[in-house]
Amino acid sequence: MALVTAKELLLSRPPGQAVGAFNVHNMEDVQGVVWAAEELGTPVIVMASESALKYAGVPYIAQLVRTAAEAVSIPIALQLDHGSSFEIAKACIECGFTSVMIDGSRLPFAENAALTRQVVELAHAHGVSVEAELGRVGGKEDDLEVAAQDAFLTNPDEAVEFVRQTGIDVLAPAIGTVHGLYKGEPKLDFARLREIARRVDVPLVLHGGSDLPVDALQEAIRCGIAKVNIGTDLKYAVTNGVRAYLKENPEEYEPRKVFAAGREAAKQLVMEKLRILSREAV
Ligand code: 13P
């Protein structure tokens, strides 16, 4: 199928379920994610961060994901993850991304809203949906370390105002998750999430979806999360898959065999996560 927007996938998701969004870096990641989704018949969002795009190139990722999506019969969206500027959002839109995230969460409210509004205007003119972040998600976010104490959670009043001022399609609130692995037990503010979900009329995203217990993921979905972002778990799966293959086959030099092990590990991880996210959360 042709690529669809993340907004479309989120608004048409079955009740009680969330859509999985996975960060990719290369062809094997893209195939692993899309093939897993196809095997389960579950739509999926493929995401690339700015550093992944710096590594692979925006047109490469755009073409890889478009090609993978066109070869399957389930809808796939392609999204820029944590875009830090209007320019990177524009480059992705011009290359055929169907969704962009503009992350102005480091800026004061008014500047974040103004940058986000600028991206929304361009994106909507091209039929592209926009996600934005308000509040700060802790941990390692792309190349930037956000000190845990510096992370602050989203104020529900501000969330309402932010959505109204910007016209975004999807909101990423900060509710206590961190990017990367958790140092202690994750402490998610579900009451805050419920309140934001009750008052805001756009789908909500859980950033930092790796390394969370199944119960926490499902409670987040029950409280209103529509999209779950998973990056770190996929990185570990791929690299551990390659490492295990090379440990068993230390003489192997055929790249196809080595990287196919990473691709298969990616596929298995994505299938496991999609099953969790689409299990009826009761
Ligand atoms: P994790 O790497 O913690 O899964 O976070 C991914 C994410 O939120 C990408 O935006």
Side-chain angles (χ1 to χ4, degrees):
M1 281 180 71
L3 289 168
V4 300
T5 64
K7 175 185 179 183
E8 216 173 306
L9 292 187
L10 297 179
L11 292 181
S12 61
R13 75 194 189 282
Q17 300 188 12
V19 180
F22 298 89
N23 289 90
V24 300
H25 302 86
N26 54 31
M27 183 192 78
E28 286 77 7
D29 285 353
V30 172
Q31 291 177 331
V33 172
V34 171
W35 294 355
E38 181 184 40
E39 192 155 325
L40 296 180
T42 310
V44 79
I45 299 168
V46 180
M47 301 192 298
S49 68
E50 262 189 73
S51 15
L53 293 171
K54 214 179 281 169
Y55 169 74
V58 174
Y60 282 84
I61 292 289
Q63 294 297 342
L64 282 170
V65 179
R66 181 184 308 164
T67 302
E70 283 172 356
V72 298
S73 53
I74 39 147
I76 309 281
L78 169 58
Q79 178 171 319
L80 163 67
D81 191 33
H82 291 287
S84 63
S85 65
F86 177 79
E87 289 70 30
I88 183 69
K90 183 165 180 275
C92 289
I93 291 167
E94 284 169 353
C95 272
F97 280 55
T98 52
S99 306
V100 290
M101 178 197 183
I102 180 71
D103 182 359
S105 62
R106 284 168 211 109
L107 302 169
F109 181 94
E111 286 171 44
N112 184 0
L115 172 65
T116 302
R117 178 73 218 163
Q118 195 190 8
V119 171
V120 166
E121 275 165 20
L122 178 76
H124 285 181
H126 289 80
V128 166
S129 67
V130 180
E131 173 181 328
E133 181 171 321
L134 185 66
R136 296 273 288 274
V137 174
K140 184 162 173 55
E141 189 172 283
D142 213 3
D143 276 343
L144 182 99
E145 289 283 350
V146 183
Q149 62 270 28
D150 186 32
F152 55 88
L153 306 185
T154 304
N155 173 311
D157 292 334
E158 285 191 356
V160 172
E161 189 53 24
F162 188 75
V163 172
R164 194 189 66 75
Q165 281 187 24
T166 58
I168 51 169
D169 305 290
V170 181
L171 175 70
I175 57 151
T177 53
V178 303
H179 288 110
L181 300 181
Y182 288 82
K183 298 218 168 70
E185 203 180 310
K187 288 194 184 62
L188 275 58
D189 191 338
F190 292 117
R192 180 183 301 267
L193 173 58
R194 258 185 219 284
E195 165 87 354
I196 295 170
R198 188 175 63 75
R199 297 184 47 199
V200 159
D201 60 0
V202 295
L204 302 178
V205 185
L206 187 75
H207 277 250
S210 293
D211 197 28
L212 278 178
V214 173
D215 286 355
L217 283 174
Q218 297 203 328
E219 178 62 11
I221 297 169
R222 269 193 294 273
C223 292
I225 286 295
K227 168 176 179 266
V228 175
N229 285 7
I230 295 175
T232 305
D233 279 347
L234 187 57
K235 287 186 186 179
Y236 272 90
V238 169
T239 307
N240 287 338
V242 167
R243 198 176 276 131
Y245 181 83
L246 286 173
K247 196 168 174 215
E248 260 187 38
N249 305 273
E251 304 299 322
E252 186 57 67
Y253 65 91
E254 177 56 70
R256 287 191 300 272
K257 293 189 180 167
V258 176
F259 297 123
R263 178 171 64 185
E264 180 57 25
K267 185 178 165 202
Q268 293 307 322
L269 184 279
V270 172
M271 284 174 62
E272 180 194 325
K273 297 292 180 184
L274 289 178
R275 284 198 183 99
I276 294 168
L277 302 182
S278 63
R279 195 182 304 156
E280 192 74 27
V282 284

